[in-house]
Amino acid sequence: MAEELAETDDKAEEQGALAAEPARPEPPLPALLAMPLLRIEGVVKKFGGVRAVDGALLDINAGEFFALLGPSGCGKTTLLRMLAGFETPDEGRILLNGRDIAQVLPHERPVNMMFQNYALFPHLSVRDNIAFGLKRAGMPRAEIKARVAEMVELVKLKGLEKRKPDQLSGGQRQRVALARSLARRPQLLLLDEPLAALDKKLRESTQVELMEVQRRLGMTFIIVTHDQEEAMTVADRIGVMNAGRLEQVASPRELYEAPGSRWIAEFVGDINLFEGNMQSRELNRLTIATRDAGALAVAEPRNPVGKTDVAVAIRPEKVKLSRRGPVVDAINAHAVNRLEGVVADVGYLGGTTTYKVKLASGAMLRCSMANTTRLDVDAYGLGQHVVAWFTPDDCVVLEQ
Ligand code: ADP
Ligand code: MG
């Protein structure tokens, strides 16, 4: 069986990972209580001239559901493979429970990895796929039986235990892979694009199931995905990677509402960016003179921006449209950013409608509105003159 399993790198690694001892939680040491479960310190991995992972610095706490998000080729899988022990960092350290695991072999780490292609054994039944690692670890038969039953229950595969992988749907195969990777109760489960092969509806329901499983087991999950909605749905915190570097680590809301850089703002969700210069600052209110949208007022509670070249960022759903503009009194008249334009594009998407409003400068302002009524009483037509407005609080200032 060993030769058969060594067909591909992934399978050989899988075998190593599955052959491990059952993970035994280490007794908590008082001195290390402040340590996160996992600490990644300045980890670098080079392939030839490419720095696939470039100085990652990250703490992950026990019980967290963490997502690594980034475009294809940014180093997500490489970072995960270093955590699992299938790649060795060129620089930096990985600490698990405060202990450097550089010298710990993959199968000796209380870490398991669920691969992108599931790597199920085609000739084994669901039950035997799940039991595989437990048998290799020498678990007594009765315990294996009980554990497999528990896993089958957990991932809702009851009644399908005798089927082979090719007699299962994509979603069911994904569950078998999940059950197999959880069977040995690792402290840390790494999931590399676990839902990429599923269609949208199934992916969404499986995301919810994955969260339920993670909560029920109280385990630490790190999921890799290039799908930002998926990351936002499942994760407590998200680390966004760009060309090997972790650009920002934040909660989904913070990432979306307070992006740390222009790159993040544009990568996560849709956004309007207006480039300009700092004109004046009054307490926490900045006035930015933008090229395409005139002077914009921005509330900036964060540290004052050092540079004068900045961009004002505003999410499309924060932009309101009206025929005449917001009702304002003398006191707050100056507090609202107000831009006139003409509707140049309308995209009806069911729950929302997106508009592109052509401003006097010729620049487009994107706006998305929830369709809160069935009849289109609030809809705007092509060529219609509109007033777009948004508050200083809804804007973010980003350095160029
Ligand atoms: P992601 O999972 O984010 O798509 P990867 O971690 O797979 O990205 O890859 C990051 C970079 O490292 C890419 O440029 C990729 O081509 C390169 N890379 C990954 N694995 C290897 C390898 N074994 N040998 C050479 N280059 C690699
Ligand atoms: Mg990958």
Side-chain angles (χ1 to χ4, degrees):
M1 175 167 269
E3 291 78 39
E4 214 177 313
L5 291 172
E7 275 171 15
T8 67
D9 276 350
D10 275 2
K11 281 189 183 167
E13 290 155 1
E14 184 82 352
Q15 179 198 4
L18 285 166
E21 288 290 311
R24 282 185 208 92
E26 290 179 0
L29 302 173
L32 297 177
L33 277 184
M35 272 313 266
L37 175 72
L38 181 71
R39 172 162 286 179
I40 300 168
E41 260 180 19
V43 165
V44 173
K45 181 70 193 178
K46 292 176 254 183
F47 292 114
V50 180
R51 290 171 83 87
V53 173
D54 195 4
L57 197 64
L58 182 64
D59 278 354
I60 292 176
N61 297 312
E64 233 188 328
F65 201 140
F66 192 91
L68 276 172
L69 172 69
S72 181
C74 70
K76 304 180 297 294
T77 296
T78 304
L79 181 53
L80 225 54
R81 289 170 59 86
M82 286 191 280
L83 301 181
F86 303 139
E87 299 283 0
T88 313
D90 293 316
E91 292 170 30
R93 299 194 305 165
I94 299 169
L95 307 176
L96 196 68
N97 297 312
R99 192 163 65 108
D100 189 340
I101 54 171
Q103 303 305 321
V104 184
L105 294 169
H107 63 273
E108 287 166 352
R109 301 182 182 195
V111 176
N112 212 344
M113 181 148 166
M114 187 178 134
F115 293 94
Q116 200 165 352
N117 57 8
Y118 308 152
L120 294 176
F121 305 120
H123 55 290
L124 295 185
S125 67
V126 167
R127 178 187 288 138
D128 291 337
N129 261 288
I130 298 174
F132 188 83
L134 303 174
K135 283 183 188 157
R136 292 228 137 193
M139 189 186 260
R141 279 180 76 100
E143 266 180 60
I144 292 180
K145 211 173 160 204
R147 182 71 62 84
V148 169
E150 183 193 330
M151 289 298 131
V152 162
E153 179 87 41
L154 183 74
V155 300
K156 302 179 184 146
L157 281 170
K158 244 184 146 127
L160 303 177
E161 293 92 331
K162 289 188 182 148
R163 296 225 189 145
K164 298 272 173 66
D166 65 359
Q167 297 168 316
L168 299 171
S169 70
Q172 290 163 341
R173 278 200 287 273
Q174 193 274 337
R175 288 150 195 258
V176 179
L178 180 64
R180 190 180 60 178
S181 59
L182 288 170
R184 286 179 35 249
R185 296 194 176 139
Q187 280 183 26
L188 177 61
L189 181 65
L190 310 172
L191 304 120
D192 193 358
E193 308 257 4
L195 312 178
L198 310 180
D199 63 52
K200 189 167 160 39
K201 274 255 187 283
L202 188 56
R203 205 163 60 222
E204 285 168 2
S205 59
T206 313
Q207 284 163 7
V208 175
E209 287 174 9
L210 212 51
M211 292 162 71
E212 281 169 9
V213 165
Q214 189 261 348
R215 271 188 216 135
R216 265 175 73 179
L217 300 178
M219 270 179 52
T220 313
F221 280 19
I222 303 180
I223 188 175
V224 155
T225 177
H226 62 268
D227 178 341
Q228 47 154 311
E229 277 183 35
E230 181 161 293
M232 292 204 167
T233 304
V234 300
D236 303 313
R237 281 194 309 152
I238 300 173
V240 187
M241 284 184 79
N242 177 20
R245 304 197 68 97
L246 266 169
E247 283 247 343
Q248 188 171 4
V249 178
S251 69
R253 171 176 287 271
E254 197 184 345
L255 206 58
Y256 188 79
E257 305 293 4
S261 69
R262 273 187 73 150
W263 188 86
I264 297 274
E266 291 190 282
F267 180 71
V268 180
D270 208 5
I271 203 152
N272 294 291
L273 283 174
F274 294 107
E275 292 175 7
N277 295 295
M278 195 85 74
Q279 204 172 55
S280 63
R281 176 182 301 150
E282 206 181 307
L283 293 175
N284 67 350
R285 174 181 302 257
L286 310 176
T287 304
I288 315 281
T290 68
R291 198 176 56 219
D292 289 332
L296 296 177
V298 180
E300 184 50 78
R302 294 182 294 187
N303 290 332
V305 182
K307 286 192 185 169
T308 56
D309 283 355
V310 293
V312 177
I314 174 93
R315 297 280 182 200
E317 74 280 4
K318 270 67 171 186
V319 178
K320 285 91 175 172
L321 293 186
S322 63
R323 287 175 176 81
R324 288 186 195 83
V327 178
V328 289
D329 55 37
I331 292 166
N332 68 12
H334 67 285
V336 168
N337 293 301
R338 194 178 181 280
L339 298 169
E340 297 195 17
V342 171
V343 175
D345 188 50
V346 181
Y348 176 77
L349 301 175
T352 56
T353 298
T354 62
Y355 295 96
K356 280 188 191 146
V357 176
K358 193 171 185 182
L359 304 177
S361 63
M364 293 290 183
L365 175 70
R366 275 166 299 151
C367 158
S368 92
M369 290 194 2
N371 292 320
T372 56
T373 57
R374 196 170 68 82
L375 304 177
D376 62 353
V377 284
D378 284 332
Y380 300 93
L382 277 179
Q384 187 169 350
H385 182 264
V386 289
V387 177
W389 61 280
F390 45 91
T391 67
D393 282 319
D394 284 332
C395 300
V396 176
V397 177
L398 298 168
E399 295 188 24
Q400 299 274 31

